[in-house]
Amino acid sequence: MVADGAAARSPLALGDVAASLFGMAWLPDGSSFGSTRQARELDARAAAELGLTGLVLMETAGGQAAEAAWREWLARSDSAPYRPRLAILCGAGNNGGDGFVVARRLKDRADVACLVASETQAAPPDASTMRRAAEACGVVVLDLRTPEGMDAGLSRLREARIVVDAVLGTGARRPVQQGARVLLEALAACRAVDPPQGACARPLVVALDLPSGGCGDTGECDLLTPRCDLTVTFGLAKHGLRLPPLAALAGRIELADLGLPLAFRTRQSAGNGRKDLP
């Protein structure tokens, strides 16, 4: 839910700087902005003090993100088809696990396909569990590392009315590498091509936690960081979401309700939260 590896530029230290510069800021609903370190600590405290495991938090985060994406789709689509095409880019870490939860939750409402570029066994245990659950429910998974999978994945992206960016979370390394790069390059390639005649100009793009390749502490971005219409962030809204250039790519920010009261979210303690692999 929170982190996808350790950023090359030491985001924890940068997050401390951001927190000291901006203090505690607030979203309109009273929710706080914070650093990626604080978000990881929140995960750790939820497990240690409340007994909420990473798998529970992932299910909650993905479920909230699915509903937020669907609300946004309905609000933007007066003549929305009954089952719009939905493409979810799922990275190898826990952000990808959140994406598989979204896929399972929306399978009955949309024509869903998950695009991957990594092995199931390479993912953290919680993410692997969510991938297996999605596949067991009949969610189509396309591996872009094969020519056939790439062709099918590009076709899905070109036809998608909704695209979910679940590639990288708060610990993204820049430049984006390996499977994550394959996924984001595929999205960029499709968006660079004019849509088919009669098709919508561009799909609704929803990011989970952060637009992939963006730094949650400094706002720095990779060249492949996608422009999103909505970012559903988890635990705490990250400082980087209000800093350029990431702020211009994140779209509207919505904080997922993980069932953690505001007083619990804003109380800090030492610890390490869930960490993903890039």
Side-chain angles (χ1 to χ4, degrees), residues 46-268:
E49 299 176 28
L50 306 180
L52 300 178
T53 65
L55 199 63
V56 169
L57 292 176
M58 184 178 288
E59 179 68 26
T60 305
Q64 289 290 316
E67 295 306 318
W70 192 252
R71 286 194 302 270
E72 190 76 9
W73 161 250
L74 294 179
R76 290 167 175 260
S77 306
D78 294 335
S79 57
Y82 175 64
R83 285 175 61 83
R85 286 217 158 185
L86 166 59
I88 305 178
L89 304 170
C90 294
N94 281 329
N95 198 250
D98 298 327
F100 284 114
V101 175
V102 172
R104 176 164 46 81
R105 293 293 193 103
L106 293 183
K107 186 180 184 300
D108 290 339
R109 288 178 266 180
D111 180 4
V112 180
C114 290
L115 281 56
V116 302
S118 59
E119 300 290 345
T120 305
Q121 57 268 30
D126 293 344
S128 295
T129 296
M130 293 308 186
R131 176 170 175 171
R132 290 193 297 269
E135 291 178 308
C137 289
V139 172
V140 173
V141 177
L142 303 172
D143 192 335
L144 302 195
R145 295 174 300 167
T146 68
E148 298 80 7
M150 178 61 79
D151 289 344
L154 290 175
S155 177
R156 282 278 184 167
L157 282 171
R158 284 191 292 267
E159 298 170 358
R161 303 297 302 277
I162 309 168
V163 174
V164 174
D165 169 15
V167 180
L168 292 169
T170 56
R173 295 181 176 93
R174 283 163 297 281
V176 172
Q177 299 175 353
Q178 300 178 333
R181 188 170 190 84
V182 172
L183 293 171
L184 294 180
E185 284 180 339
L187 177 58
C190 286
R191 297 185 71 176
V193 177
D194 291 335
Q197 186 174 5
C200 186
R202 62 184 298 272
L204 168 67
V205 181
V206 180
L208 304 190
D209 211 12
L210 292 170
S212 289
C215 178
D217 291 312
T218 68
E220 294 175 281
C221 294
D222 187 88
L223 292 176
L224 288 172
T225 299
R227 181 177 297 276
C228 302
D229 302 292
L230 170 68
T231 295
V232 184
T233 194
F234 305 135
L236 295 170
K238 315 307 180 291
H239 281 302
L241 289 170
R242 58 196 180 120
L243 299 174
L246 185 58
L249 300 177
R252 187 173 67 81
I253 301 169
E254 184 168 332
L255 182 64
D257 180 5
L258 302 184
L260 303 176
L262 181 61
F264 184 86
R265 281 183 274 142
T266 55
R267 178 165 55 85
Q268 299 180 36

Side-chain angles (χ1 to χ4, degrees), residues 2 11-13 15-16 19 34-44 170 216-217 236 238 268-273:
V2 170
L12 301 187
D16 293 342
S35 68
T36 57
R37 184 188 69 178
Q38 290 170 322
R40 283 194 286 271
E41 290 175 351
L42 182 63
D43 271 12
T170 56
D217 291 312
L236 295 170
K238 315 307 180 291
Q268 299 180 36
S269 68
N272 295 313

